[in-house]
Structures are given as C-alpha cells and as structure tokens.
Amino acid sequence: MKSEFLKYQAQTTPHPLAMEISHAKGSYIYDTKGKSYLDFVAGVSACGLGHSHPKVVTAVKEQLDKYLHVMVYGEYIQKPALELTKLLAKHLPAPLESTYLVNSGTEAIEGSLKLARRFTGRSEIIAAKNAYHGNTLGSLSLMDYEERKQPFLPLIPDIKHIEFNAISDLEKITDKTAAVILETIQGGAGFIEPTDNYLNKVQQRCNAVGAVFILDEIQPGIGRTGKLFGFENYNCQPNIVVTGKGLGGGLPIGAFTASKQMMDCLSDNPKLGHITTFGGNPVVAAAALANLKEITESQLIPETLEKEQLIRKHLQHKHIKEIRGRGLMLAAITENEALTSKVILQAQDQGLILFWLLFEPKAIRITPPLTISNEEIIEGCHLITSILDKI
Ligand SMILES: Cc1ncc(COP(=O)(O)O)c(C=O)c1O
C-alpha cells in the first residue's frame, strides 16, 4: 500500500513512518503483518481509554443504529451532544457552563479567538512563544515560529507574543488586549509546566485589564495530568477552556467552553457568529460522552500520577537528561536530536510506539493511554533503556 499511500494521500512530511495498520485494541496497535506495537503515544494524546474501548465502541454502535448526521450544529436537540455539554459543565467550575462543539482542536481555538474578540470588542491577541495551537490560519497566526509561518503570510494581524512563565512580560497585557491564550502545559515546546503561580498571575492581569483568558487544554485536558483539566493543578481558572484530542474517545472533536453570558455573543447581533455543519455530530458526541463518563467515573485520573512515578523510576538512564511534564504527558529529553530519533525509530522496529514533539527535537514523547497497565509501562520503559544501552 505504501506507494499508493504516497501517491494518493496528501503528506505532511517527505518521510512518513508509513506503518500499515490492521487493527488496534487496548494499549496495542497491530500492523498488517500481524506484528503488535505497545503504544506509548495514544494517537498523540488522543486515545485516553486506549484503542477501541468497549464502552466507546458500544456507544458508537448504538448511535449508528439510531441516526447519523441530521442537521447543522445548534438547530436540533440531539441527546448525545446535549449530554456531553452537560457533563462538561458538571465537571467545570462556574461560570464555565456553555460548550460549543466543533470538529477539531484548531477549529475550537478559532472559535475561542472569535468569541474573545466579539466579547471584548478588541482585536489584540497575546500568545506565548513556542506555543502550538493548531494549523488553520488563525491558530497558525498565534505561533511565533517565523520560518513555519513565512510561506503562509499574511496571517491574521494584531498578535503579540510573551515568554511563557515570564512574569515581567505580563505588563504587555493591556486594555487593548482581547485575549491571552496559553497552553496549560506547553506541549510542542517540550512539556513545559507553568511555574511560580504563573497562570494565576496571568489570570489576575487579564481580570485587571478586562482581557479574556483562554486556556488550551487540547493536550493536557481530559485526565492526562492527574486532574480532569490541567488548569486544576495550577490555581487558576480561564474564561474560555478549549478541549479536543482526548475528549473524543478516538473520534474527531473540538470544544470551547465559556460562561453562558459570553457564549451568547456568538448567537446574536449578528446571529450565526460561528457555524459548523458537523460540530456536535451525534456519533462523535456519543463516543465522547461514553469516554468522558468512563474517565470521570473510574480511578484512571488519579492513577496517572502513580503511572508517572513508575515511568520516572524505570526510565533512569545516563542518556536521559531529564523527564519533563506531569502525569501521562511526559517527555524524556536525551542529549541530542540524533539520539532521540534513533530511539524512536529503533523502538518502532522493536514493537514500541514513541514519537517526537514539534519544537523540542531532543524530546521523546511518552503519552500512553490512561488505561495502560503497570506491566506495560515497565515493559516499554525497559525497551527504551535497552535501546539506549546499545547506542
Ligand atoms: C495544545 C494543542 N492545541 C491545538 C492543537 C490542534 O488540534 P487539532 O490537531 O485537533 O486541530 C493541538 C494538536 O496537536 C495541540 O496539541
């Protein structure tokens, strides 16, 4: 299939991994030759319950037997989407109770930026250096990587950048600022956690100048960091929280949640301030609802912190300089880029899925399903250290 894959399916890099997938179950992906791979990546933090979780699959099948797409987002009352937004509201602090469902993380980011501009009547957006919020034009505009943006200029204007964790930069947030958007934990940058009560200070500064504080929880959210939402670890509360990836249980989704008062700006004066055909799709919403119920009703969230400790214990090696991140959102930093790539590629040959981070070439991504067992963690970590031993 490889030549057809390269010919017919648009590519993101000249050298995709091109593994031919047969099926996936629990913590394992199987290729068409019957080889199994222990998954330490979980679809890039998207498959919290692992692969083909029975509760998600059952929810999808039940919905398939009822109906698929019937109408654009927002017009009809469809139980899966309604129940999902209600459950999100139940788990979010007031006044975060109104959720707009879309199809991907980047689309949710776009919606959140529009909402902040519409709500404040201001245009300036402040984002962090080394942030990643997605790849559509608006989300791309938030990035400060000039060489990645250059081919697509001009992007949306009035974007400024601050250094993540730099308190001295907070004065750049002023009464001209519509929104400050940050990842709760910087992902592509190398799983950089906020320090020194940083997010709380950003929140206070936003409150003081009337700017909207948006937190991108697309990667840390839905249980990966020992809390349902990453921001619950850091003594802060955003005005808009953006989720995606792990919310969908393996299906494509994005969501942004705000107060009802704020969200109402998108539906009136002018109406149709944000529209989508497939957002809130009943099959996707049924999967997301089953996924969210299982994650919140089980012990999976607190267990992520125990599993983090297990990974830290078993990944000690002279070539691993540091392990960054929290819970099951971890990055093992090696001495150099070449070593990291060798480990990732050799691990795949030996049946373990690892991956890179976007902007930190020394990082090995370790974001397994929340359902991964202790035995599987130890097995994967031993494989990594045995590869490092031989390099
Ligand atoms: C923090 C963060 N924001 C936004 C996105 C974009 O999400 P999507 O790829 O679903 O558009 C990602 C995806 O990697 C992400 O990690």
Side-chain angles (χ1 to χ4, degrees), residues 48-49 87-88 90-92 217 219-233 243 246-247 288-309 326-329 368-372 374 377:
L49 291 181
L87 192 57
L88 280 168
K90 182 181 155 199
H91 288 289
L92 279 162
E217 287 271 346
Q219 184 156 209
I222 319 301
R224 206 155 264 289
T225 67
K227 300 277 183 193
L228 183 57
F229 300 97
F231 70 80
E232 295 173 275
N233 291 302
T243 46
L247 180 62
L289 179 62
N291 174 68
L292 189 58
K293 273 191 187 156
E294 180 63 15
I295 288 178
T296 52
E297 288 170 9
S298 64
Q299 284 308 302
L300 287 170
I301 297 179
E303 280 170 14
T304 60
L305 297 180
E306 292 158 26
K307 290 174 182 174
E308 170 189 354
Q309 292 317 316
R326 187 182 183 92
L328 291 179
M329 185 175 167
L370 312 187
T371 46
I372 195 165
N374 290 350
I377 286 177

Side-chain angles (χ1 to χ4, degrees), residues 31-316:
D31 72 13
T32 48
K33 296 189 188 98
K35 182 171 169 183
S36 64
Y37 298 80
L38 177 59
D39 188 0
F40 263 28
V41 174
V44 184
S45 302
C47 308
L49 291 181
H51 299 286
S52 310
H53 189 280
K55 290 198 175 158
V56 176
V57 171
T58 302
V60 168
K61 284 183 176 164
E62 282 176 5
Q63 185 56 41
L64 288 177
D65 284 337
K66 289 182 190 148
Y67 65 97
L68 308 180
H69 177 75
V70 287
M71 188 33 126
V72 293
Y73 176 76
E75 289 294 340
Y76 294 173
I77 302 168
Q78 301 183 52
K79 204 166 173 200
L82 172 60
E83 292 296 325
L84 175 61
T85 54
K86 247 173 76 183
L87 192 57
L88 280 168
K90 182 181 155 199
H91 288 289
L92 279 162
L96 296 170
E97 64 167 0
S98 175
T99 295
Y100 197 123
L101 296 170
V102 291
N103 309 282
S104 66
T106 195
E107 194 185 335
I109 294 289
E110 301 280 343
S112 73
L113 297 178
K114 285 172 67 184
L115 178 56
R117 282 188 164 176
R118 172 68 183 82
F119 183 70
T120 59
R122 304 173 187 174
S123 64
E124 180 183 270
I125 310 281
I126 296 189
K129 293 179 185 165
N130 294 322
Y132 181 74
H133 296 288
N135 245 265
T136 48
L137 285 175
S139 301
L140 190 64
S141 308
L142 300 172
M143 211 157 73
D144 74 318
Y145 260 82
E146 284 313 315
E147 68 274 23
R148 292 207 189 201
K149 288 197 301 187
Q150 189 63 34
F152 308 106
L153 298 178
L155 296 174
I156 64 167
D158 228 358
I159 310 283
K160 292 200 175 117
H161 291 101
I162 55 176
E163 200 78 51
F164 193 74
N165 277 333
I167 306 298
S168 57
D169 265 7
L170 297 188
E171 64 188 30
K172 294 183 183 162
I173 304 166
T174 69
D175 59 10
K176 295 203 169 36
T177 309
V180 176
I181 179 162
L182 299 172
E183 293 163 89
T184 308
I185 297 176
Q186 284 206 305
F191 291 2
I192 312 292
E193 278 192 86
T195 53
D196 192 20
N197 211 17
Y198 175 65
L199 295 180
N200 179 279
K201 289 173 186 164
V202 176
Q203 179 190 345
Q204 285 183 36
R205 179 71 185 167
C206 286
N207 286 347
V209 299
V212 172
F213 180 30
I214 306 172
L215 276 180
D216 179 343
E217 287 271 346
I218 289 168
Q219 184 156 209
I222 319 301
R224 206 155 264 289
T225 67
K227 300 277 183 193
L228 183 57
F229 300 97
F231 70 80
E232 295 173 275
N233 291 302
Y234 303 111
N235 185 33
C236 70
Q237 184 176 328
N239 304 110
I240 306 178
V241 60
V242 187
T243 46
K245 283 189 187 282
L247 180 62
L251 269 71
I253 198 166
F256 55 106
T257 307
S259 69
K260 167 106 179 81
Q261 181 212 3
M262 190 184 283
M263 197 63 94
D264 280 349
C265 294
L266 285 182
S267 56
D268 197 17
N269 190 29
K271 62 182 183 178
L272 303 176
H274 194 68
I275 51 179
T276 160
T277 300
F278 283 121
N281 175 275
V283 179
V284 176
L289 179 62
N291 174 68
L292 189 58
K293 273 191 187 156
E294 180 63 15
I295 288 178
T296 52
E297 288 170 9
S298 64
Q299 284 308 302
L300 287 170
I301 297 179
E303 280 170 14
T304 60
L305 297 180
E306 292 158 26
K307 290 174 182 174
E308 170 189 354
Q309 292 317 316
L310 201 62
I311 292 172
R312 288 186 182 278
K313 180 173 157 203
H314 288 276
L315 260 197
Q316 291 181 19

Side-chain angles (χ1 to χ4, degrees), residues 331-389:
I333 312 293
T334 74
E335 282 145 346
N336 59 57
E337 183 174 349
L339 186 56
T340 286
S341 284
K342 257 188 200 159
V343 174
I344 293 170
L345 294 173
Q346 288 191 19
Q348 179 166 322
D349 283 346
Q350 295 180 39
L352 174 69
I353 310 268
L354 300 170
F355 208 55
W356 295 265
L357 295 188
L358 265 179
F359 309 134
E360 172 47 275
K362 298 198 293 291
I364 301 170
R365 165 187 283 275
I366 299 170
T367 55
L370 312 187
T371 46
I372 195 165
S373 70
N374 290 350
E375 293 71 31
E376 289 163 345
I377 286 177
I378 294 169
E379 181 192 328
C381 289
H382 283 179
L383 189 74
I384 295 172
T385 52
S386 75
I387 291 171
L388 284 168
D389 281 343

